[in-house]
Amino acid sequence: MQFKSIYFRCKSCGAPLKFSPVDKSLRCDFCDTSEVIDKKREIIQEYDCKTALYNLTLEVAKKEPKEIVCSNCGASFASTPYSISSNCPYCATPAITDFQHNDIPKSMLPFSFNQEEAQKIFREWIGSLWFAPSKLSDYVDGHKKLSGIYLPHWTYDSQTNTPYRGQRGDIYYVSVRKTVVVNGEQQEVESQEQRIRWTFAQGRIDLFFDDVTVGATDSIARNILDELSPWDTSALVPFDEKILSGFEASEYSIGLDDSFEIAKVKMDETITQHIKRDIGGDQQLIDYKDTVHSHVTYKNVLFPVWSTSFEWNGKNYVFGINGQTGKIVGDRPYSIAKIVSLVVAVGIVLAVAFYFNNK
């Protein structure tokens, strides 16, 4: 499927304009001309989840690789089925394509800081890690740059009602006499032993969840997507192609229905905590709970992430930085050589101390 890309041209020199997180404007990298982005006055809406899920059963979107035609140099290049924003590999012009399906994001969070600031956050994080490979520091200080990408997310609101049954455990102590051996002689002593008194408990928990976020892409591991939270959704703005300019962005590869199942798991963790507090006591057992969700609404949004990956000893490590808050997450490699060197050094110090102490 072929698409004609769009981009925004500088009025002064004709070069492509890119979104600047610093002043929230379109800016030219060549002549530094900036263009104000008019704020849209659209209201960020919630959409009925039940209606949307019904419509999904009527039409299944077929995803095919996209062929993009650059509006600047005319070259065509292949893009992944879920890509909606990238850069032309031939002239580096931002290439924004249209969404083709019903899961069009209606709102987004713009990047709050630029690539230079993201690189600084990444360097400081790496510098704080113990036993990080020296090669990783070389990688950070080199020419490899973090990539800015807008990742699709769903947010869910839900009213929950959860009846439960369980048991409340209250700790108490009893005095018991025991025979112990003291200096080779048996003696009887009195001690306190812990017991738990279990009593039946039941009740009902009513909770309202607002903007439970679920990453809707498989381009980054689920654990990293989850750890990048929280997102301040009060800062959402209406979807605007100008804010995408210069950044990558992708469509939804995880649907509304599957993502809601993930959201329910997140909500269940909070519900369980509330049930335990409601039961009270020192320990709690939950024998039964059944949550009913009602008035479920959703938003389809794009969240900003700075990301990169690093290969070390045959394993790929992926890092992500929340483009709104600066929170950084990801697996980190360890330098075995540095760990071994430290162990050897500590061993030498202990051996020397032991020698002089005995002497």
Side-chain angles (χ1 to χ4, degrees), residues 91 101 129 249:
C91 67
H101 306 291
L129 300 179

Side-chain angles (χ1 to χ4, degrees), residues 162-168 199-205 275 278-280 285-288:
T162 309
Y164 72 85
R165 293 192 299 271
Q167 300 178 60
R168 167 178 173 148
T199 54
F200 176 76
Q202 66 177 357
R204 185 181 301 272
I205 297 296
I275 290 176
D278 196 51
I279 291 176
L285 292 176
I286 301 175
D287 301 320
Y288 164 84

